[in-house]
């Protein structure tokens, strides 16, 4: 149980285009989902917290107009990287927490984004 | 500012020995601490959670200790195997209600040599 999927697993796009990444909890409902970004040999960095039915909360330094998050249902959150640039190339990972206040987060397999 | 530090970027251990990884933190008062395993190109996989009132927790060949006075957690893998080779991440979340995101250390790359 507690499986989280991401789609696509990797994407290559041209600079200036927008890319949408989906995060799904397959066998549980997730009130809260999180989006992280990881650069090579670096730690995962929390970008934003996504709550079903409300606006996402972004970490300091993360542009909310550039990284659009939609958590339309209890099993799906999407991250859209708008007008992507080469510096946005990274490994994007989502996680889901099954219920308010639950301690354990289940992570997706990640999406590798390369912006040319 | 809050900081999580993990010992060395790479740790080489002979198969069968015990691997010990360290996580130190500053400017946190965590309600609990978590350890994750991350393989290359993959998302983290949850291993263990230890609470502030627990000194030690075990799961099969894994053992975690938590010293809130020293602000340190130790992660042990006994009878290590080459399949244990991976990066191990320490993560913290502040106490309180709600579901906050995790702050991760950079991780320790563990290599178990046959």
């Amino acid at each position: 149980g507690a499986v989280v999927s991401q789609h696509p697993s990797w994407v290559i796009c041209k600079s200036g285009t927008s890319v949408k990444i989906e995060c799904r909890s397959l066998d549980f409902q997730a009130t809260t989902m999180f989006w992280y970004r990881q650069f090579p040999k670096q730690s995962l960095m929390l970008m934003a917290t996504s709550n079903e039915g409300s606006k996402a909360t972004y970490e300091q330094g993360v542009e909310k107009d550039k990284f659009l998050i939609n958590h339309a249902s209890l099993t799906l959150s999407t991250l859209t990287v708008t007008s992507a640039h080469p510096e946005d190339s990274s490994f994007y990972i989502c996680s889901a927490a099954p219920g308010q206040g639950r301690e354990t987060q289940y992570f997706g397999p990640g999406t590798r984004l390369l912006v040319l | 500012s809050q900081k999580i530090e993990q010992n060395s970027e790479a740790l080489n251990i002979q198969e069968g020995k015990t691997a010990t990884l360290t996580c130190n933190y500053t400017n946190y008062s965590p309600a609990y601490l978590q350890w994750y395993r991350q393989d290359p190109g993959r998302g983290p996989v949850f291993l263990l959670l230890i609470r502030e009132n627990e000194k030690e927790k075990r799961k099969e060949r894994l053992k975690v200790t938590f010293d809130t006075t020293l602000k340190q957690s130790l992660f042990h893998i006994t009878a290590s195997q080459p399949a244990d080779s991976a990066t191990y991440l320490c993560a913290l979340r502040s106490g309180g209600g709600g579901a906050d995101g995790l702050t991760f250390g950079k991780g320790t790359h563990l290599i178990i040599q046959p």
Side-chain angles (χ1 to χ4, degrees):
Chain A
V3 178
V4 176
S5 69
Q6 279 185 243
H7 179 80
S9 56
W10 59 270
V11 57
I12 301 173
C13 69
K14 292 182 179 179
S15 185
T17 61
S18 293
V19 175
K20 181 187 282 189
I21 302 170
E22 292 186 348
C23 176
R24 293 181 186 274
S25 56
L26 299 184
D27 50 3
F28 65 97
Q29 293 186 329
T31 307
T32 305
M33 290 184 171
F34 304 91
W35 287 96
Y36 296 82
R37 180 168 55 180
Q38 186 177 33
F39 292 106
K41 297 191 177 182
Q42 296 295 314
S43 177
L44 281 80
M45 296 295 292
L46 178 66
M47 298 175 66
T49 301
S50 168
N51 292 298
E52 186 267 338
S54 64
K55 288 185 179 180
T57 303
Y58 291 81
E59 296 298 300
Q60 193 172 10
V62 178
E63 300 174 57
K64 57 184 173 184
D65 293 332
K66 180 168 184 62
F67 299 99
L68 302 179
I69 292 172
N70 188 329
H71 193 157
S73 77
L74 286 172
T75 59
L76 173 64
S77 176
T78 60
L79 169 69
T80 301
V81 183
T82 62
S83 186
H85 291 285
E87 58 265 30
D88 297 322
S89 299
S90 189
F91 191 46
Y92 291 86
I93 309 171
C94 72
S95 71
Q100 192 77 12
R102 293 290 289 271
E103 298 145 346
T104 304
Q105 296 181 23
Y106 299 96
F107 284 81
T111 296
R112 178 79 57 191
L113 171 64
L114 177 60
V115 184
L116 301 176
Chain B
S1 62
Q2 297 175 325
K3 192 185 288 187
I4 301 173
E5 292 183 353
Q6 295 188 244
N7 69 326
S8 75
E9 290 197 356
L11 181 63
N12 284 274
I13 298 292
Q14 195 77 28
E15 181 178 5
K17 302 290 186 184
T18 296
T20 298
L21 287 64
T22 304
C23 174
N24 294 294
Y25 59 91
T26 54
N27 296 323
Y28 273 103
S29 295
Y32 44 81
L33 181 147
Q34 303 183 36
W35 284 89
Y36 287 80
R37 169 181 172 143
Q38 186 176 27
D39 290 285
R42 306 292 296 173
V45 174
F46 172 76
L47 295 176
L48 281 167
L49 179 152
I50 185 165
R51 302 179 189 285
E52 60 180 340
N53 61 348
E54 297 176 315
K55 294 294 184 188
E56 180 180 299
K57 184 165 267 189
R58 293 175 185 261
K59 178 182 175 183
E60 298 174 352
R61 294 184 295 111
L62 308 180
K63 184 179 86 171
V64 171
T65 63
F66 193 15
D67 189 326
T68 55
T69 301
L70 290 178
K71 296 187 183 294
Q72 181 182 78
S73 175
L74 299 179
F75 177 81
H76 306 270
I77 305 176
T78 58
S80 58
Q81 304 166 359
D84 295 327
S85 299
T87 296
Y88 291 86
L89 306 170
C90 167
L92 286 173
R93 201 165 94 187
S94 298
D100 300 322
L102 294 172
T103 299
F104 285 87
K106 287 181 68 173
T108 297
H109 182 45
L110 178 65
I111 301 168
I112 307 298
Q113 296 176 331

